[in-house]
Amino acid sequence: MTPRSPRILVFIPAYRCARQIIRVIDQFDDKVQALVDTVMVVDNRSPDGTLEAAIEHARDRLKACQFIGWRNDDNYGLGGSHKAALRYAIDEGYDYLIVLHGDDQADIRDLVPYLQGGGHEQVDCLLGARFMRGSKLKGYSWFRTFGNYVYDVLFSIVAMRSIKDLGSGLNMYRLASLREFYYKGFPDDLTFNYVMLLASYHRGQSVKFFPISWREEDQVSNVKLFRQAFKVLNLLGGYFLRRGSFLKDDMRGKPFDAYTGQILSRQASLD
């Protein structure tokens, strides 16, 4: 019997990026489409027609993989969108989930060599890194670059692992290690990835970083830099002092019983 090929879902969290989402979908050339099963745009209730733009463009662009256009039932934040996509992927029997942010800063084609070579099958978490040898940054300020280096060092010290990036916008996860919904109480905002990384190390998961290309052009950031910096330090301090017990805390500003949404478009592969 021929072994079943692992099923891969690409989750694209999107909020107020109607212009950029079209370019993100354009990244899915024939080579990329041949390597994944489904592209799922999860719109966090954008007011600018982001999901509608994605659905329309996917009709023309995506022929060799399935497309799903999903809208959250509430404003769950970036972390909450991760939770919605992870539960959907696990419930639907996918083996891996790729996270590609919908603002067109990362490029999924940086993952192609690892997918073709099976590198993703050797680890639980394959994480894109903007600040390691071989990566390419375009349009990112020296101040923010320096700040990221500082945080990478601090997190490395606390986690006792070499951390190259806390959250780049291009990551891949083995879903077998995430079936237990231990991350439900993690923050629903941008710091979800930071806590998720600490939890991956704490739970003994295998993590590997890989260099990516990353650009900042016409994207609109919703991050308040200094407020975000203090929040990240607070999270790191909590983990440093309490380790596993800290990860069991409910860190959400507004807890949700479930992270639900509606599929507004489903397009099957034409192959």
Side-chain angles (χ1 to χ4, degrees), residues 172-210:
M172 186 170 187
Y173 298 97
R174 185 201 306 272
L175 291 173
S177 62
L178 299 174
R179 295 187 186 282
E180 179 188 347
F181 201 17
Y182 63 84
Y183 41 88
K184 182 178 181 180
F186 290 1
D188 283 338
D189 60 15
L190 295 170
T191 59
F192 172 82
N193 283 325
Y194 307 169
V195 179
M196 192 76 161
L197 179 58
L198 292 172
S200 293
Y201 283 127
H202 184 77
R203 297 174 70 90
Q205 297 173 8
S206 53
V207 178
K208 179 180 179 179
F209 292 93
F210 68 100

Side-chain angles (χ1 to χ4, degrees), residues 66-258:
Q66 182 182 198
F67 173 79
I68 294 173
W70 166 294
R71 175 167 289 143
N72 288 338
D73 285 336
D74 206 326
N75 185 342
Y76 297 138
L78 179 62
S81 290
H82 275 71
K83 297 170 190 177
L86 284 164
R87 295 313 302 167
Y88 176 85
I90 291 169
D91 290 345
E92 294 297 316
Y94 288 90
D95 300 290
Y96 292 91
L97 180 127
I98 295 172
V99 183
L100 174 67
H101 286 192
D103 56 7
D104 191 42
Q105 291 182 309
D107 193 326
I108 195 171
R109 287 165 290 199
D110 290 331
L111 255 178
V112 166
Y114 300 91
L115 296 176
Q116 290 178 328
H120 62 294
E121 298 180 3
Q122 311 304 316
V123 295
D124 294 303
C125 310
L126 186 59
L127 308 180
R130 296 163 290 178
F131 312 105
M132 65 182 296
R133 187 186 298 267
S135 63
K136 299 177 182 177
L137 283 176
K138 177 182 178 182
Y140 205 53
S141 72
W142 70 267
F143 178 75
R144 295 177 71 183
T145 299
F146 174 75
N148 275 277
Y149 274 118
V150 170
Y151 275 106
D152 290 346
V153 170
L154 292 175
F155 271 73
S156 296
I157 292 170
V158 172
M160 294 181 287
R161 299 289 193 280
S162 177
I163 293 175
K164 302 299 184 183
D165 202 321
L166 297 175
S168 67
L170 179 61
N171 296 320
M172 186 170 187
Y173 298 97
R174 185 201 306 272
L175 291 173
S177 62
L178 299 174
R179 295 187 186 282
E180 179 188 347
F181 201 17
Y182 63 84
Y183 41 88
K184 182 178 181 180
F186 290 1
D188 283 338
D189 60 15
L190 295 170
T191 59
F192 172 82
N193 283 325
Y194 307 169
V195 179
M196 192 76 161
L197 179 58
L198 292 172
S200 293
Y201 283 127
H202 184 77
R203 297 174 70 90
Q205 297 173 8
S206 53
V207 178
K208 179 180 179 179
F209 292 93
F210 68 100
I212 64 170
S213 52
W214 199 92
R215 62 195 171 279
E216 188 166 286
E217 296 173 343
D218 59 351
Q219 294 84 359
V220 177
S221 175
N222 297 304
V223 178
K224 304 290 192 299
L225 285 179
F226 290 102
R227 181 186 301 175
Q228 179 84 348
F230 285 118
K231 182 169 187 178
V232 173
L233 284 175
N234 186 57
L235 291 172
L236 185 60
Y239 179 73
F240 174 72
L241 294 172
R242 298 170 51 220
R243 300 287 172 174
S245 64
F246 169 77
L247 296 173
K248 294 178 181 178
D249 288 349
D250 194 328
M251 308 173 207
R252 299 172 293 176
K254 177 184 177 182
F256 293 95
D257 291 333

